[in-house]
């Protein structure tokens, strides 16, 4: 499963999800590369639909991802706030793997960069990127809601 893809959904047709591209000040080039990726690669979810033989499983997976996004973000933020490198790595790996599975290309690449920073012991750099993680995660949730999932009945 590759992170970038041709089936990218930047937002809904009306652009509600995504503000103008913004990269936090002081972000290094390798962190900003995630901003160049699509928020959502629908090819990943369409592949899951094909593998399962229907859209239901993929839709449920996307809904579950949305439901636990705030928990994942909060766990990452708390781990960093407590300077707990092990918990931070656990949170980053959860973020990375779930983002890859749901097609959240930008968030997955950001998580790869966070993983590198945690491995090098640079929790202050991770802390500086938390607002970008929150923004990117919220954009992903919005993209799933408006660009992938059918409207709620």
């Amino acid at each position: 499963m590759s992170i970038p893809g041709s089936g990218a959904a930047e937002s809904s047709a009306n652009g509600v999800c995504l503000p103008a591209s913004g990269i936090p000040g002081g972000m290094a080039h390798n962190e900003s590369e995630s901003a160049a990726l699509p928020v959502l690669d629908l090819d990943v979810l369409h592949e899951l639909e094909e593998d399962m033989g229907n859209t239901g499983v993929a839709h449920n997976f996307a809904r579950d991802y949305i439901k636990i996004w705030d928990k994942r973000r909060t766990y990452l933020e708390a781990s960093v706030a407590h300077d707990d490198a092990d918990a931070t790595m656990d949170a980053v790996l959860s973020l990375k793997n779930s983002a890859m599975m749901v097609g959240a290309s930008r968030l997955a690449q950001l998580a790869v960069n966070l993983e590198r920073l945690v491995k090098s012991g640079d929790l202050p750099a991770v802390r500086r990127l938390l607002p970008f993680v929150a923004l990117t995660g919220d954009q992903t949730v919005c993209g799933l809601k408006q660009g992938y999932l059918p409207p709620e009945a």
Side-chain angles (χ1 to χ4, degrees), residues 65 68-100 107-108 110-116 118-119 123 126 130 133:
Y65 182 89
I68 62 174
W69 160 243
D70 284 331
K71 182 178 178 182
R72 276 197 182 98
R73 188 197 75 242
T74 301
Y75 178 46
L76 175 62
E77 290 169 349
S79 299
V80 173
H82 291 106
D83 290 319
D84 186 336
D86 290 338
T88 300
M89 181 60 81
D90 182 55
V92 166
L93 292 174
S94 174
L95 180 71
K96 179 180 80 170
N97 292 330
S98 63
M100 287 177 155
L107 191 58
L110 182 57
V112 167
N113 294 333
L114 292 172
E115 181 180 7
R116 180 186 46 77
V118 175
K119 283 180 181 177
L123 288 183
V126 173
L130 290 177
V133 171

Side-chain angles (χ1 to χ4, degrees), residues 14-134:
N14 62 10
V16 171
C17 292
L18 306 178
S21 178
I23 299 171
M27 185 182 292
H29 170 71
N30 54 357
E31 279 82 25
S32 67
E33 71 190 17
S34 64
L37 293 171
V39 169
L40 191 60
D41 178 357
L42 292 178
D43 287 345
V44 173
L45 291 164
H46 293 308
E47 186 176 310
L48 179 60
E49 290 172 2
E50 288 177 24
D51 289 348
M52 297 296 120
N54 66 49
T55 61
V57 173
H59 286 174
N60 287 337
F61 183 76
R63 285 185 191 99
D64 289 345
Y65 182 89
I66 290 166
K67 286 179 190 172
I68 62 174
W69 160 243
D70 284 331
K71 182 178 178 182
R72 276 197 182 98
R73 188 197 75 242
T74 301
Y75 178 46
L76 175 62
E77 290 169 349
S79 299
V80 173
H82 291 106
D83 290 319
D84 186 336
D86 290 338
T88 300
M89 181 60 81
D90 182 55
V92 166
L93 292 174
S94 174
L95 180 71
K96 179 180 80 170
N97 292 330
S98 63
M100 287 177 155
M101 291 174 65
V102 81
S105 303
R106 190 176 297 174
L107 191 58
Q109 182 60 54
L110 182 57
V112 167
N113 294 333
L114 292 172
E115 181 180 7
R116 180 186 46 77
L117 291 168
V118 175
K119 283 180 181 177
S120 71
D122 195 352
L123 288 183
V126 173
R127 186 174 289 109
R128 288 189 298 273
L129 290 176
L130 290 177
F132 192 53
V133 171

